[in-house]
Amino acid sequence: MLGRRTPYDDLVDHLVRSTPLGPGEAARVVLDVLAYFDETAEEYVRRRHRELQGSGLTNPVIFERIAEELPRRAVAPPTLSLRQLRRIVYG
């Protein structure tokens, strides 16, 4: 990949080799996926509520569905301080 290097260049290179995507397209896919998984639980709940409400579902059905989806969803972890990170490693 030419130009500015990123921490995800190995993934972009893999996608270029294993799919018909070009380098620019593969980089956009990687950034889209990262943005998708960077969503916090609160952002996910709000987004899904809007989406499901837009499809005509009522709140009781929407909240039941979100409650079922959320445990299977990878969401962004909370921001941790340096002290919290040290405590994770050293107890």
Side-chain angles (χ1 to χ4, degrees):
M1 194 171 136
L2 299 174
R4 196 173 83 210
R5 301 297 289 174
T6 71
Y8 309 106
D9 286 343
D10 59 331
L11 179 55
V12 171
D13 293 341
H14 171 75
L15 289 172
V16 169
R17 285 191 310 273
S18 64
T19 70
L21 297 174
E25 295 166 314
R28 280 191 300 281
V29 167
V30 168
L31 292 176
D32 284 348
V33 169
L34 290 172
Y36 180 81
F37 285 112
D38 196 36
E39 190 174 48
T40 65
E42 291 82 6
E43 292 166 336
Y44 175 78
V45 169
R46 288 184 191 106
R47 178 179 61 78
R48 282 300 285 155
H49 183 267
R50 281 191 310 273
E51 291 171 354
L52 295 169
Q53 196 173 45
S55 68
L57 297 177
T58 61
N59 276 343
V61 174
I62 289 170
F63 291 125
E64 186 71 32
R65 179 160 317 160
I66 292 172
E68 291 171 2
E69 292 175 355
L70 200 52
R72 297 186 307 268
R73 169 89 177 141
V75 296
T79 302
L80 300 174
S81 70
L82 295 178
R83 181 174 186 207
Q84 289 170 310
L85 292 172
R86 284 191 293 273
R87 289 184 69 92
I88 290 170
V89 173
Y90 300 113

PDB file of all heavy atoms in Angstrom, residues 4-18:
ATOM      1  N   ARG A   4       0.565   7.072   3.253  1.00  0.00           N
ATOM      2  CA  ARG A   4       0.671   7.026   4.712  1.00  0.00           C
ATOM      3  C   ARG A   4       0.363   5.626   5.241  1.00  0.00           C
ATOM      4  O   ARG A   4      -0.618   5.017   4.876  1.00  0.00           O
ATOM      5  CB  ARG A   4      -0.313   8.047   5.274  1.00  0.00           C
ATOM      6  CG  ARG A   4      -0.057   8.388   6.706  1.00  0.00           C
ATOM      7  CD  ARG A   4      -0.942   9.503   7.162  1.00  0.00           C
ATOM      8  NE  ARG A   4      -2.223   8.890   7.527  1.00  0.00           N
ATOM      9  CZ  ARG A   4      -3.388   9.492   7.440  1.00  0.00           C
ATOM     10  NH1 ARG A   4      -3.462  10.707   6.975  1.00  0.00           N
ATOM     11  NH2 ARG A   4      -4.496   8.900   7.798  1.00  0.00           N
ATOM     12  N   ARG A   5       1.217   5.140   6.117  1.00  0.00           N
ATOM     13  CA  ARG A   5       1.035   3.810   6.709  1.00  0.00           C
ATOM     14  C   ARG A   5       0.134   3.915   7.937  1.00  0.00           C
ATOM     15  O   ARG A   5       0.131   4.912   8.647  1.00  0.00           O
ATOM     16  CB  ARG A   5       2.384   3.205   7.110  1.00  0.00           C
ATOM     17  CG  ARG A   5       3.386   3.039   5.983  1.00  0.00           C
ATOM     18  CD  ARG A   5       2.960   2.100   4.899  1.00  0.00           C
ATOM     19  NE  ARG A   5       2.988   0.728   5.378  1.00  0.00           N
ATOM     20  CZ  ARG A   5       2.548  -0.317   4.681  1.00  0.00           C
ATOM     21  NH1 ARG A   5       2.074  -0.153   3.478  1.00  0.00           N
ATOM     22  NH2 ARG A   5       2.586  -1.531   5.166  1.00  0.00           N
ATOM     23  N   THR A   6      -0.648   2.858   8.153  1.00  0.00           N
ATOM     24  CA  THR A   6      -1.541   2.798   9.310  1.00  0.00           C
ATOM     25  C   THR A   6      -1.309   1.490  10.047  1.00  0.00           C
ATOM     26  O   THR A   6      -0.690   0.560   9.501  1.00  0.00           O
ATOM     27  CB  THR A   6      -3.033   2.868   8.887  1.00  0.00           C
ATOM     28  OG1 THR A   6      -3.379   1.640   8.238  1.00  0.00           O
ATOM     29  CG2 THR A   6      -3.293   4.049   7.970  1.00  0.00           C
ATOM     30  N   PRO A   7      -1.828   1.373  11.267  1.00  0.00           N
ATOM     31  CA  PRO A   7      -1.679   0.114  12.003  1.00  0.00           C
ATOM     32  C   PRO A   7      -2.418  -1.048  11.351  1.00  0.00           C
ATOM     33  O   PRO A   7      -2.206  -2.198  11.720  1.00  0.00           O
ATOM     34  CB  PRO A   7      -2.285   0.420  13.378  1.00  0.00           C
ATOM     35  CG  PRO A   7      -2.352   1.901  13.471  1.00  0.00           C
ATOM     36  CD  PRO A   7      -2.436   2.417  12.068  1.00  0.00           C
ATOM     37  N   TYR A   8      -3.273  -0.762  10.379  1.00  0.00           N
ATOM     38  CA  TYR A   8      -4.095  -1.805   9.770  1.00  0.00           C
ATOM     39  C   TYR A   8      -3.641  -2.167   8.368  1.00  0.00           C
ATOM     40  O   TYR A   8      -4.363  -2.833   7.638  1.00  0.00           O
ATOM     41  CB  TYR A   8      -5.563  -1.366   9.770  1.00  0.00           C
ATOM     42  CG  TYR A   8      -5.997  -0.915  11.138  1.00  0.00           C
ATOM     43  CD1 TYR A   8      -6.176   0.424  11.425  1.00  0.00           C
ATOM     44  CD2 TYR A   8      -6.180  -1.839  12.160  1.00  0.00           C
ATOM     45  CE1 TYR A   8      -6.540   0.832  12.695  1.00  0.00           C
ATOM     46  CE2 TYR A   8      -6.534  -1.434  13.424  1.00  0.00           C
ATOM     47  CZ  TYR A   8      -6.719  -0.093  13.692  1.00  0.00           C
ATOM     48  OH  TYR A   8      -7.073   0.296  14.953  1.00  0.00           O
ATOM     49  N   ASP A   9      -2.449  -1.739   7.990  1.00  0.00           N
ATOM     50  CA  ASP A   9      -1.975  -2.009   6.634  1.00  0.00           C
ATOM     51  C   ASP A   9      -1.892  -3.500   6.334  1.00  0.00           C
ATOM     52  O   ASP A   9      -2.164  -3.916   5.208  1.00  0.00           O
ATOM     53  CB  ASP A   9      -0.611  -1.368   6.401  1.00  0.00           C
ATOM     54  CG  ASP A   9      -0.701   0.137   6.249  1.00  0.00           C
ATOM     55  OD1 ASP A   9      -1.813   0.643   6.002  1.00  0.00           O
ATOM     56  OD2 ASP A   9       0.340   0.803   6.388  1.00  0.00           O
ATOM     57  N   ASP A  10      -1.532  -4.318   7.329  1.00  0.00           N
ATOM     58  CA  ASP A  10      -1.469  -5.756   7.084  1.00  0.00           C
ATOM     59  C   ASP A  10      -2.845  -6.308   6.743  1.00  0.00           C
ATOM     60  O   ASP A  10      -2.985  -7.164   5.865  1.00  0.00           O
ATOM     61  CB  ASP A  10      -0.851  -6.498   8.270  1.00  0.00           C
ATOM     62  CG  ASP A  10      -1.619  -6.306   9.569  1.00  0.00           C
ATOM     63  OD1 ASP A  10      -2.253  -5.254   9.746  1.00  0.00           O
ATOM     64  OD2 ASP A  10      -1.567  -7.217  10.412  1.00  0.00           O
ATOM     65  N   LEU A  11      -3.884  -5.799   7.387  1.00  0.00           N
ATOM     66  CA  LEU A  11      -5.250  -6.236   7.082  1.00  0.00           C
ATOM     67  C   LEU A  11      -5.669  -5.748   5.699  1.00  0.00           C
ATOM     68  O   LEU A  11      -6.269  -6.495   4.929  1.00  0.00           O
ATOM     69  CB  LEU A  11      -6.222  -5.733   8.151  1.00  0.00           C
ATOM     70  CG  LEU A  11      -7.689  -6.084   7.946  1.00  0.00           C
ATOM     71  CD1 LEU A  11      -7.895  -7.591   7.787  1.00  0.00           C
ATOM     72  CD2 LEU A  11      -8.521  -5.542   9.088  1.00  0.00           C
ATOM     73  N   VAL A  12      -5.344  -4.503   5.372  1.00  0.00           N
ATOM     74  CA  VAL A  12      -5.650  -3.968   4.043  1.00  0.00           C
ATOM     75  C   VAL A  12      -4.935  -4.797   2.984  1.00  0.00           C
ATOM     76  O   VAL A  12      -5.539  -5.202   1.977  1.00  0.00           O
ATOM     77  CB  VAL A  12      -5.271  -2.471   3.943  1.00  0.00           C
ATOM     78  CG1 VAL A  12      -5.377  -1.976   2.505  1.00  0.00           C
ATOM     79  CG2 VAL A  12      -6.140  -1.634   4.867  1.00  0.00           C
ATOM     80  N   ASP A  13      -3.660  -5.085   3.192  1.00  0.00           N
ATOM     81  CA  ASP A  13      -2.903  -5.903   2.231  1.00  0.00           C
ATOM     82  C   ASP A  13      -3.536  -7.279   2.068  1.00  0.00           C
ATOM     83  O   ASP A  13      -3.623  -7.806   0.954  1.00  0.00           O
ATOM     84  CB  ASP A  13      -1.442  -6.044   2.672  1.00  0.00           C
ATOM     85  CG  ASP A  13      -0.682  -4.728   2.620  1.00  0.00           C
ATOM     86  OD1 ASP A  13      -1.139  -3.791   1.921  1.00  0.00           O
ATOM     87  OD2 ASP A  13       0.363  -4.633   3.292  1.00  0.00           O
ATOM     88  N   HIS A  14      -3.972  -7.872   3.177  1.00  0.00           N
ATOM     89  CA  HIS A  14      -4.625  -9.183   3.113  1.00  0.00           C
ATOM     90  C   HIS A  14      -5.905  -9.110   2.284  1.00  0.00           C
ATOM     91  O   HIS A  14      -6.162  -9.989   1.449  1.00  0.00           O
ATOM     92  CB  HIS A  14      -4.937  -9.688   4.524  1.00  0.00           C
ATOM     93  CG  HIS A  14      -5.783 -10.914   4.540  1.00  0.00           C
ATOM     94  ND1 HIS A  14      -5.283 -12.157   4.212  1.00  0.00           N
ATOM     95  CD2 HIS A  14      -7.101 -11.079   4.803  1.00  0.00           C
ATOM     96  CE1 HIS A  14      -6.269 -13.040   4.281  1.00  0.00           C
ATOM     97  NE2 HIS A  14      -7.378 -12.407   4.635  1.00  0.00           N
ATOM     98  N   LEU A  15      -6.714  -8.082   2.503  1.00  0.00           N
ATOM     99  CA  LEU A  15      -7.949  -7.934   1.739  1.00  0.00           C
ATOM    100  C   LEU A  15      -7.666  -7.734   0.249  1.00  0.00           C
ATOM    101  O   LEU A  15      -8.384  -8.270  -0.595  1.00  0.00           O
ATOM    102  CB  LEU A  15      -8.779  -6.770   2.279  1.00  0.00           C
ATOM    103  CG  LEU A  15      -9.426  -6.993   3.637  1.00  0.00           C
ATOM    104  CD1 LEU A  15     -10.063  -5.704   4.142  1.00  0.00           C
ATOM    105  CD2 LEU A  15     -10.447  -8.116   3.580  1.00  0.00           C
ATOM    106  N   VAL A  16      -6.628  -7.001  -0.072  1.00  0.00           N
ATOM    107  CA  VAL A  16      -6.260  -6.783  -1.484  1.00  0.00           C
ATOM    108  C   VAL A  16      -5.865  -8.112  -2.123  1.00  0.00           C
ATOM    109  O   VAL A  16      -6.240  -8.398  -3.264  1.00  0.00           O
ATOM    110  CB  VAL A  16      -5.135  -5.732  -1.599  1.00  0.00           C
ATOM    111  CG1 VAL A  16      -4.556  -5.684  -3.004  1.00  0.00           C
ATOM    112  CG2 VAL A  16      -5.660  -4.354  -1.187  1.00  0.00           C
ATOM    113  N   ARG A  17      -5.117  -8.928  -1.380  1.00  0.00           N
ATOM    114  CA  ARG A  17      -4.686 -10.233  -1.925  1.00  0.00           C
ATOM    115  C   ARG A  17      -5.835 -11.227  -2.019  1.00  0.00           C
ATOM    116  O   ARG A  17      -5.858 -12.063  -2.909  1.00  0.00           O
ATOM    117  CB  ARG A  17      -3.589 -10.834  -1.037  1.00  0.00           C
ATOM    118  CG  ARG A  17      -2.233 -10.200  -1.172  1.00  0.00           C
ATOM    119  CD  ARG A  17      -1.140 -11.011  -0.461  1.00  0.00           C
ATOM    120  NE  ARG A  17      -1.477 -11.355   0.925  1.00  0.00           N
ATOM    121  CZ  ARG A  17      -1.234 -10.579   1.980  1.00  0.00           C
ATOM    122  NH1 ARG A  17      -0.659  -9.404   1.809  1.00  0.00           N
ATOM    123  NH2 ARG A  17      -1.553 -10.969   3.199  1.00  0.00           N
ATOM    124  N   SER A  18      -6.777 -11.173  -1.088  1.00  0.00           N
ATOM    125  CA  SER A  18      -7.792 -12.229  -0.995  1.00  0.00           C
ATOM    126  C   SER A  18      -9.161 -11.853  -1.559  1.00  0.00           C
ATOM    127  O   SER A  18     -10.067 -12.681  -1.547  1.00  0.00           O
ATOM    128  CB  SER A  18      -7.942 -12.663   0.466  1.00  0.00           C
ATOM    129  OG  SER A  18      -8.427 -11.587   1.245  1.00  0.00           O
TER     130      SER A  18
END
